[in-house]
Protein backbone atom coordinates (compact mmCIF):
# COMPACT_ATOMS: atom_id res chain seq x y z
CA UNK A 1 0.00 0.00 0.00
CA UNK A 2 1.37 3.45 -0.88
CA UNK A 3 1.45 6.22 1.74
CA UNK A 4 -1.31 8.27 0.04
CA UNK A 5 -3.46 5.09 -0.01
CA UNK A 6 -2.77 4.63 3.69
CA UNK A 7 -3.85 8.24 4.34
CA UNK A 8 -7.01 7.80 2.27
CA UNK A 9 -7.92 4.63 4.22
CA UNK A 10 -7.25 6.41 7.50
CA UNK A 11 -9.67 9.19 6.54
CA UNK A 12 -12.22 6.68 5.29
CA UNK A 13 -12.21 4.77 8.58
CA UNK A 14 -12.41 8.04 10.54
CA UNK A 15 -15.53 8.97 8.56
CA UNK A 16 -13.76 11.95 6.98
CA UNK A 17 -13.71 10.68 3.41
CA UNK A 18 -17.06 9.87 1.88
CA UNK A 19 -16.64 10.78 -1.79
CA UNK A 20 -14.58 8.28 -3.83
CA UNK A 21 -13.42 11.07 -6.14
CA UNK A 22 -11.48 12.73 -3.37
CA UNK A 23 -9.79 9.41 -2.62
CA UNK A 24 -8.50 9.56 -6.20
CA UNK A 25 -7.49 13.18 -5.59
CA UNK A 26 -5.44 12.25 -2.52
CA UNK A 27 -3.61 9.62 -4.57
CA UNK A 28 -3.07 11.99 -7.52
CA UNK A 29 -1.71 14.91 -5.46
CA UNK A 30 0.89 13.55 -3.01
CA UNK A 31 1.03 15.68 0.13
CA UNK A 32 4.79 15.28 0.64
CA UNK A 33 5.43 17.58 -2.34
CA UNK A 34 3.90 20.46 -0.34
CA UNK A 35 5.56 20.05 3.05
CA UNK A 36 8.93 21.74 3.66
CA UNK A 37 11.93 19.76 4.92
CA UNK A 38 11.61 21.27 8.40
CA UNK A 39 8.25 22.04 9.97
CA UNK A 40 6.17 21.61 13.11
CA UNK A 41 3.24 19.19 13.27
CA UNK A 42 0.19 18.65 15.48
CA UNK A 43 -1.92 15.49 15.12
CA UNK A 44 -5.58 16.41 14.63
CA UNK A 45 -6.69 15.06 17.99
CA UNK A 46 -7.51 16.94 21.19
CA UNK A 47 -4.62 17.58 23.59
CA UNK A 48 -1.81 16.45 21.34
CA UNK A 49 1.40 18.40 21.63
CA UNK A 50 3.24 19.87 18.65
CA UNK A 51 6.50 18.25 17.54
CA UNK A 52 9.19 19.17 15.00
CA UNK A 53 9.79 17.19 11.85
CA UNK A 54 13.02 17.29 9.86
CA UNK A 55 13.29 15.40 6.57
CA UNK A 56 17.10 15.18 6.71
CA UNK A 57 17.47 14.28 10.38
CA UNK A 58 14.57 11.79 10.56
CA UNK A 59 13.10 11.04 7.12
CA UNK A 60 10.83 8.25 8.42
CA UNK A 61 9.14 10.46 11.03
CA UNK A 62 8.81 13.26 8.45
CA UNK A 63 7.05 11.03 5.91
CA UNK A 64 4.93 9.23 8.47
CA UNK A 65 3.71 12.62 9.77
CA UNK A 66 3.03 14.00 6.29
CA UNK A 67 0.80 10.97 5.61
CA UNK A 68 -1.07 11.18 8.92
CA UNK A 69 -4.00 13.39 9.88
CA UNK A 70 -1.76 16.19 11.14
CA UNK A 71 -1.76 19.90 10.56
CA UNK A 72 1.77 21.02 9.66
CA UNK A 73 2.85 24.60 10.45
CA UNK A 74 5.04 26.05 7.73
CA UNK A 75 5.33 29.64 9.00
CA UNK A 76 5.41 31.05 12.55
CA UNK A 77 5.57 34.76 13.47
CA UNK A 78 7.82 36.46 16.07
CA UNK A 79 5.28 35.77 18.88
CA UNK A 80 5.21 32.04 18.10
CA UNK A 81 1.77 32.24 16.44
CA UNK A 82 1.28 30.03 13.39
CA UNK A 83 0.68 32.16 10.30
CA UNK A 84 0.57 29.41 7.66
CA UNK A 85 0.09 25.67 7.62
CA UNK A 86 -0.69 22.69 5.47
CA UNK A 87 -4.12 21.93 6.95
CA UNK A 88 -4.90 18.48 8.36
CA UNK A 89 -6.18 16.09 5.65
CA UNK A 90 -9.13 15.24 7.90
CA UNK A 91 -10.41 18.80 7.52
CA UNK A 92 -9.20 19.45 3.95
CA UNK A 93 -11.26 16.57 2.54
CA UNK A 94 -14.58 17.47 4.27
CA UNK A 95 -14.17 21.06 3.02
CA UNK A 96 -13.61 19.87 -0.56
CA UNK A 97 -16.51 17.45 -0.30
CA UNK A 98 -18.82 20.25 0.84
CA UNK A 99 -17.55 22.46 -1.97
CA UNK A 100 -18.63 19.86 -4.56
CA UNK A 101 -16.82 21.38 -7.53
CA UNK A 102 -17.71 20.10 -10.99
CA UNK A 103 -15.25 19.75 -13.89
CA UNK A 104 -16.21 23.06 -15.50
CA UNK A 105 -16.35 25.17 -12.33
CA UNK A 106 -14.20 28.25 -11.82
CA UNK A 107 -12.87 28.24 -8.28
CA UNK A 108 -11.56 31.10 -6.15
CA UNK A 109 -9.41 29.96 -3.26
CA UNK A 110 -8.41 32.21 -0.36
CA UNK A 111 -5.19 31.19 1.43
CA UNK A 112 -2.83 29.38 -0.95
CA UNK A 113 -0.48 28.38 1.89
CA UNK A 114 1.60 25.43 0.67
CA UNK A 115 -0.48 25.05 -2.49
CA UNK A 116 -1.74 21.57 -1.58
CA UNK A 117 -5.46 22.42 -1.74
CA UNK A 118 -4.90 24.54 -4.88
CA UNK A 119 -3.36 21.40 -6.41
CA UNK A 120 -6.28 19.21 -5.31
CA UNK A 121 -8.68 21.74 -6.85
CA UNK A 122 -6.58 21.90 -10.03
CA UNK A 123 -6.72 18.11 -10.23
CA UNK A 124 -10.54 18.28 -9.93
CA UNK A 125 -11.50 21.25 -12.16
CA UNK A 126 -8.34 21.87 -14.20
CA UNK A 127 -5.60 24.36 -13.37
CA UNK A 128 -7.05 27.00 -15.74
CA UNK A 129 -10.16 27.16 -13.58
CA UNK A 130 -8.37 27.77 -10.28
CA UNK A 131 -7.35 31.15 -8.84
CA UNK A 132 -5.71 31.05 -5.41
CA UNK A 133 -4.96 34.20 -3.39
CA UNK A 134 -2.25 34.37 -0.71
CA UNK A 135 -1.36 37.46 1.30
CA UNK A 136 2.28 36.47 1.84
CA UNK A 137 4.41 36.78 -1.32
CA UNK A 138 7.10 34.38 -0.11
CA UNK A 139 4.54 31.67 0.68
CA UNK A 140 2.93 32.16 -2.72
CA UNK A 141 6.32 31.71 -4.41
CA UNK A 142 6.99 28.53 -2.44
CA UNK A 143 3.52 27.27 -3.33
CA UNK A 144 4.23 27.94 -7.01
CA UNK A 145 7.32 25.70 -6.82
CA UNK A 146 5.40 22.98 -4.93
CA UNK A 147 2.58 23.08 -7.47
CA UNK A 148 5.05 22.91 -10.32
CA UNK A 149 6.64 19.81 -8.77
CA UNK A 150 3.17 18.24 -8.66
CA UNK A 151 2.53 19.23 -12.28
CA UNK A 152 0.04 22.08 -11.79
CA UNK A 153 0.09 25.79 -12.59
CA UNK A 154 -3.14 27.45 -11.39
CA UNK A 155 -3.33 31.25 -11.27
CA UNK A 156 -1.63 32.39 -8.04
CA UNK A 157 -2.34 35.90 -6.85
CA UNK A 158 -0.51 37.75 -4.08
CA UNK A 159 -2.90 40.07 -2.25
CA UNK A 160 -5.56 40.43 0.40
CA UNK A 161 -8.01 37.60 -0.15
CA UNK A 162 -10.71 39.62 1.64
CA UNK A 163 -11.01 41.55 -1.63
CA UNK A 164 -11.36 38.37 -3.67
CA UNK A 165 -9.98 38.67 -7.18
CA UNK A 166 -12.42 40.53 -9.41
CA UNK A 167 -10.43 39.91 -12.61
CA UNK A 168 -11.18 36.20 -12.46
CA UNK A 169 -14.92 36.58 -11.62
CA UNK A 170 -17.53 35.21 -11.80
CA UNK A 171 -16.71 32.16 -9.72
CA UNK A 172 -18.80 29.02 -9.23
CA UNK A 173 -17.02 27.99 -6.05
CA UNK A 174 -15.16 29.87 -3.31
CA UNK A 175 -12.87 27.77 -1.10
CA UNK A 176 -11.58 29.60 1.97
CA UNK A 177 -8.80 28.08 4.06
CA UNK A 178 -8.43 30.72 6.77
CA UNK A 179 -10.87 31.57 9.56
CA UNK A 180 -13.42 34.28 8.81
CA UNK A 181 -15.44 36.23 11.38
CA UNK A 182 -17.09 38.67 8.97
CA UNK A 183 -17.56 37.19 5.49
CA UNK A 184 -16.31 39.76 2.94
CA UNK A 185 -19.10 40.80 0.60
CA UNK A 186 -16.61 40.85 -2.30
CA UNK A 187 -16.78 37.02 -2.36
CA UNK A 188 -20.54 37.19 -2.84
CA UNK A 189 -20.30 39.90 -5.50
CA UNK A 190 -17.71 37.92 -7.45
CA UNK A 191 -19.77 34.72 -7.39
CA UNK A 192 -22.43 33.53 -9.81
CA UNK A 193 -25.95 33.06 -8.41
CA UNK A 194 -26.04 29.44 -7.24
CA UNK A 195 -22.31 29.45 -6.45
CA UNK A 196 -21.13 27.68 -3.30
CA UNK A 197 -18.70 29.11 -0.75
CA UNK A 198 -17.16 26.86 1.89
CA UNK A 199 -15.34 28.54 4.74
CA UNK A 200 -14.35 28.22 8.40
CA UNK A 201 -16.84 30.67 9.93
CA UNK A 202 -15.14 31.71 13.14
CA UNK A 203 -17.03 34.16 15.36
CA UNK A 204 -15.08 35.18 18.46
CA UNK A 205 -17.29 33.17 20.87
CA UNK A 206 -16.45 29.43 20.85
CA UNK A 207 -14.74 27.25 18.22
CA UNK A 208 -15.16 27.80 14.45
CA UNK A 209 -17.80 26.19 12.23
CA UNK A 210 -17.51 24.59 8.80
CA UNK A 211 -19.94 26.79 6.84
CA UNK A 212 -21.44 26.19 3.41
CA UNK A 213 -23.05 29.21 1.74
CA UNK A 214 -25.06 29.33 -1.46
CA UNK A 215 -25.07 32.61 -3.33
CA UNK A 216 -28.47 34.01 -4.25
CA UNK A 217 -29.10 37.36 -5.94
CA UNK A 218 -27.05 39.86 -3.90
CA UNK A 219 -26.67 37.68 -0.80
CA UNK A 220 -25.27 34.36 0.37
CA UNK A 221 -27.20 32.07 2.69
CA UNK A 222 -25.22 29.64 4.80
CA UNK A 223 -25.63 26.61 7.00
CA UNK A 224 -23.20 25.38 9.63
CA UNK A 225 -22.15 21.79 9.25
CA UNK A 226 -19.53 21.00 11.87
CA UNK A 227 -16.65 22.29 13.96
CA UNK A 228 -13.28 23.40 12.68
CA UNK A 229 -10.37 25.55 13.78
CA UNK A 230 -8.31 27.63 11.34
CA UNK A 231 -5.84 30.50 11.58
CA UNK A 232 -7.71 33.73 10.92
CA UNK A 233 -7.79 35.86 7.79
CA UNK A 234 -4.95 38.34 8.37
CA UNK A 235 -7.16 41.44 8.80
CA UNK A 236 -9.53 39.62 11.17
CA UNK A 237 -6.96 38.24 13.60
CA UNK A 238 -7.84 38.77 17.25
CA UNK A 239 -5.76 39.25 20.38
CA UNK A 240 -5.62 36.14 22.54
CA UNK A 241 -5.32 37.27 26.17
CA UNK A 242 -7.28 39.57 28.49
CA UNK A 243 -7.77 43.18 27.32
CA UNK A 244 -5.06 45.77 27.97
CA UNK A 245 -5.63 47.78 31.13
CA UNK A 246 -8.06 45.29 32.71
CA UNK A 247 -5.91 44.84 35.84
CA UNK A 248 -5.96 48.60 36.57
CA UNK A 249 -9.66 48.91 35.65
CA UNK A 250 -10.74 46.04 37.88
CA UNK A 251 -11.25 48.16 40.99
CA UNK A 252 -13.58 50.59 39.23
CA UNK A 253 -15.62 47.89 37.39
CA UNK A 254 -19.31 47.47 38.32
CA UNK A 255 -19.89 44.48 40.62
CA UNK A 256 -22.85 42.10 40.78
CA UNK A 257 -23.50 38.37 41.16
CA UNK A 258 -25.03 35.70 38.92
CA UNK A 259 -26.40 32.21 39.54
CA UNK A 260 -25.44 31.09 36.02
CA UNK A 261 -22.39 28.83 36.11
CA UNK A 262 -20.02 30.59 33.67
CA UNK A 263 -18.44 27.24 32.67
CA UNK A 264 -21.69 26.35 30.83
CA UNK A 265 -21.23 29.24 28.44
CA UNK A 266 -18.16 28.17 26.50
CA UNK A 267 -17.50 25.10 24.39
CA UNK A 268 -20.41 23.18 25.86
CA UNK A 269 -22.89 23.38 22.97
CA UNK A 270 -22.34 24.64 19.42
CA UNK A 271 -25.94 25.93 19.34
CA UNK A 272 -25.26 28.11 22.38
CA UNK A 273 -22.02 29.41 20.86
CA UNK A 274 -24.03 30.38 17.76
CA UNK A 275 -26.81 32.02 19.76
CA UNK A 276 -24.25 34.17 21.57
CA UNK A 277 -22.36 34.89 18.32
CA UNK A 278 -25.64 36.01 16.73
CA UNK A 279 -27.16 37.91 19.65
CA UNK A 280 -23.94 39.51 20.89
CA UNK A 281 -21.79 39.75 17.74
CA UNK A 282 -18.13 40.65 18.02
CA UNK A 283 -17.83 39.58 21.66
CA UNK A 284 -14.84 37.35 22.40
CA UNK A 285 -14.72 34.68 25.11
CA UNK A 286 -11.70 33.71 27.14
CA UNK A 287 -11.61 31.03 29.82
CA UNK A 288 -8.89 30.98 32.49
CA UNK A 289 -8.67 28.05 34.88
CA UNK A 290 -6.68 27.72 38.11
CA UNK A 291 -5.30 24.65 39.90
CA UNK A 292 -7.92 24.94 42.69
CA UNK A 293 -10.74 24.38 40.20
CA UNK A 294 -11.80 28.02 39.97
CA UNK A 295 -12.50 29.39 36.50
CA UNK A 296 -12.72 32.95 35.19
CA UNK A 297 -14.83 33.58 32.08
CA UNK A 298 -14.11 36.79 30.18
CA UNK A 299 -16.35 38.49 27.64
CA UNK A 300 -14.42 41.13 25.68
CA UNK A 301 -15.41 43.58 22.96
CA UNK A 302 -13.63 46.30 21.02
CA UNK A 303 -16.05 49.01 22.22
CA UNK A 304 -13.98 48.80 24.53
CA UNK A 305 -15.70 46.78 27.23
CA UNK A 306 -15.06 43.65 29.23
CA UNK A 307 -16.75 41.49 31.86
CA UNK A 308 -15.56 38.65 34.07
CA UNK A 309 -17.48 35.97 35.97
CA UNK A 310 -15.57 33.94 38.56
CA UNK A 311 -16.62 30.36 39.18
CA UNK A 312 -15.43 29.18 42.58
CA UNK A 313 -16.07 25.53 43.56
CA UNK A 314 -18.77 25.15 46.19
CA UNK A 315 -20.35 28.59 45.70
CA UNK A 316 -24.00 29.05 44.71
CA UNK A 317 -23.43 32.53 43.21
CA UNK A 318 -20.55 33.90 41.22
CA UNK A 319 -19.03 37.38 41.22
CA UNK A 320 -19.42 39.47 38.07
CA UNK A 321 -17.39 42.55 37.15
CA UNK A 322 -18.22 44.68 34.13
CA UNK A 323 -16.30 47.58 32.69
CA UNK A 324 -16.57 49.90 29.70
CA UNK A 325 -19.16 51.10 27.24
CA UNK A 326 -21.38 48.00 27.52
CA UNK A 327 -22.52 45.58 30.19
CA UNK A 328 -21.20 42.53 28.37
CA UNK A 329 -22.08 39.92 30.97
CA UNK A 330 -25.69 41.15 31.06
CA UNK A 331 -25.83 40.75 27.26
CA UNK A 332 -24.19 37.31 27.20
CA UNK A 333 -26.33 36.05 30.07
CA UNK A 334 -29.47 37.32 28.28
CA UNK A 335 -28.36 35.49 25.10
CA UNK A 336 -27.81 32.29 27.09
CA UNK A 337 -31.26 32.50 28.71
CA UNK A 338 -32.84 33.25 25.33
CA UNK A 339 -31.21 30.10 23.89
CA UNK A 340 -32.41 28.01 26.86
CA UNK A 341 -35.91 29.43 26.33
CA UNK A 342 -35.85 28.40 22.66
CA UNK A 343 -35.33 24.78 23.76
CA UNK A 344 -31.53 24.78 23.25
CA UNK A 345 -31.47 24.49 19.44
CA UNK A 346 -28.39 22.79 18.00
CA UNK A 347 -25.98 24.00 15.32
CA UNK A 348 -28.08 22.58 12.47
CA UNK A 349 -30.91 25.03 13.19
CA UNK A 350 -28.78 28.15 12.80
CA UNK A 351 -27.71 29.89 9.63
CA UNK A 352 -25.90 33.01 8.47
CA UNK A 353 -26.82 35.44 5.69
CA UNK A 354 -24.22 37.72 4.13
CA UNK A 355 -25.49 40.72 2.15
CA UNK A 356 -24.28 44.20 1.21
CA UNK A 357 -25.67 45.38 4.58
CA UNK A 358 -23.48 42.93 6.50
CA UNK A 359 -23.95 39.56 8.11
CA UNK A 360 -26.66 38.23 10.37
CA UNK A 361 -27.27 34.97 12.18
CA UNK A 362 -30.73 33.43 12.11
CA UNK A 363 -32.62 30.54 13.65
CA UNK A 364 -34.47 28.10 11.36
CA UNK A 365 -35.18 30.62 8.56
CA UNK A 366 -33.27 33.53 7.02
CA UNK A 367 -36.20 35.85 7.81
CA UNK A 368 -35.78 35.17 11.54
CA UNK A 369 -32.56 37.02 12.38
CA UNK A 370 -31.40 36.91 15.97
CA UNK A 371 -31.70 40.07 18.01
CA UNK A 372 -31.67 40.82 21.73
CA UNK A 373 -34.00 43.79 21.16
C1 LIG B 1 -4.30 27.24 6.78
S1 LIG B 1 -3.28 28.12 5.68
C2 LIG B 1 -3.77 27.58 4.07
C3 LIG B 1 -3.59 26.16 3.76
C4 LIG B 1 -3.52 25.90 2.28
N1 LIG B 1 -4.80 25.92 1.64
C5 LIG B 1 -2.74 24.64 1.98
O1 LIG B 1 -3.25 23.74 1.31
O2 LIG B 1 -1.57 24.57 2.39
C6 LIG B 1 -3.99 29.76 5.67
C7 LIG B 1 -3.31 30.70 4.72
O3 LIG B 1 -4.09 31.86 4.57
C8 LIG B 1 -3.22 32.93 4.34
N2 LIG B 1 -3.94 34.19 4.59
C9 LIG B 1 -4.23 34.78 5.77
N3 LIG B 1 -4.89 35.93 5.57
C10 LIG B 1 -5.02 36.06 4.23
C11 LIG B 1 -5.62 37.04 3.41
N4 LIG B 1 -6.19 38.13 3.91
N5 LIG B 1 -5.56 36.87 2.08
C12 LIG B 1 -4.97 35.77 1.53
N6 LIG B 1 -4.39 34.81 2.26
C13 LIG B 1 -4.42 34.96 3.59
C14 LIG B 1 -2.08 32.67 5.30
O4 LIG B 1 -0.92 33.40 4.95
C15 LIG B 1 -1.94 31.16 5.18
O5 LIG B 1 -0.98 30.82 4.23
Amino acid sequence: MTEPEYLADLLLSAGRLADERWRDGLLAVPRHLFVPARACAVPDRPRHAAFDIDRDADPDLWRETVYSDSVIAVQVDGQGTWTSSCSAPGIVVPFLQELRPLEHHRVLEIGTGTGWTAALLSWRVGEKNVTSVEIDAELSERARANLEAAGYAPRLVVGDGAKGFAEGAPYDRVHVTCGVERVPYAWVEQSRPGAVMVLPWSPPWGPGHLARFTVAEGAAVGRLLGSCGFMMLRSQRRPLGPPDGAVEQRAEAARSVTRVDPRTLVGDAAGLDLAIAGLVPGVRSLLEGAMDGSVRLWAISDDPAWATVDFVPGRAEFEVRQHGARRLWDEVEAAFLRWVGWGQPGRERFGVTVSAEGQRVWLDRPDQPLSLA
Side-chain angles (χ1 to χ4, degrees), residues 108-126:
L108 171 66
E109 180 178 70
I110 309 300
T112 313
T114 65
W116 187 44
T117 52
L120 286 162
L121 289 166
S122 300
W123 169 81
R124 181 76 186 95
V125 300

Side-chain angles (χ1 to χ4, degrees), residues 34 71-72 74-75 83-88 92 109-120 132-136 139-140 143 146 157-163 175-179 187 229-237:
F34 297 86
V71 53
I72 299 177
V74 300
Q75 192 186 57
T83 49
S84 187
S85 65
C86 189
S87 309
V92 164
E109 180 178 70
I110 309 300
T112 313
T114 65
W116 187 44
T117 52
L120 286 162
S132 184
V133 186
E134 169 58 53
I135 200 154
D136 186 304
L139 286 174
S140 183
N146 296 341
V157 176
V158 175
D160 182 1
K163 297 184 179 136
H175 181 241
V176 183
T177 65
C178 35
W187 300 347
F230 270 82
M231 55 192 64
M232 295 298 288
L233 193 73
R234 190 80 63 101
S235 55
Q236 296 189 10
R237 276 190 204 155

Side-chain angles (χ1 to χ4, degrees), residues 99-108 121 124-126 128-130 170-173 192 194-196:
L99 194 67
R100 289 178 230 159
L102 300 176
E103 277 80 6
H104 59 277
H105 278 159
R106 295 162 63 80
V107 184
L108 171 66
L121 289 166
R124 181 76 186 95
V125 300
K128 283 192 178 52
N129 284 328
V130 177
Y171 301 103
D172 305 283
R173 297 287 186 263
R192 224 183 257 297
V196 169

Side-chain angles (χ1 to χ4, degrees), residues 108 110 161-165 171 174 176 178 180 182-191 197 199 215 233:
L108 171 66
I110 309 300
K163 297 184 179 136
F165 185 66
Y171 301 103
V174 180
V176 183
C178 35
V180 180
R182 297 170 301 281
V183 180
Y185 187 60
W187 300 347
V188 180
E189 283 180 307
Q190 293 171 19
S191 295
M197 309 196 301
L199 55 93
V215 177
L233 193 73

Side-chain angles (χ1 to χ4, degrees), residues 235-260:
S235 55
Q236 296 189 10
R237 276 190 204 155
R238 300 182 280 256
L240 294 175
D244 291 341
V247 173
E248 299 75 28
Q249 292 159 355
R250 200 153 177 79
E252 69 204 39
R255 292 180 189 212
S256 55
V257 290
T258 180
R259 288 164 54 223
V260 172

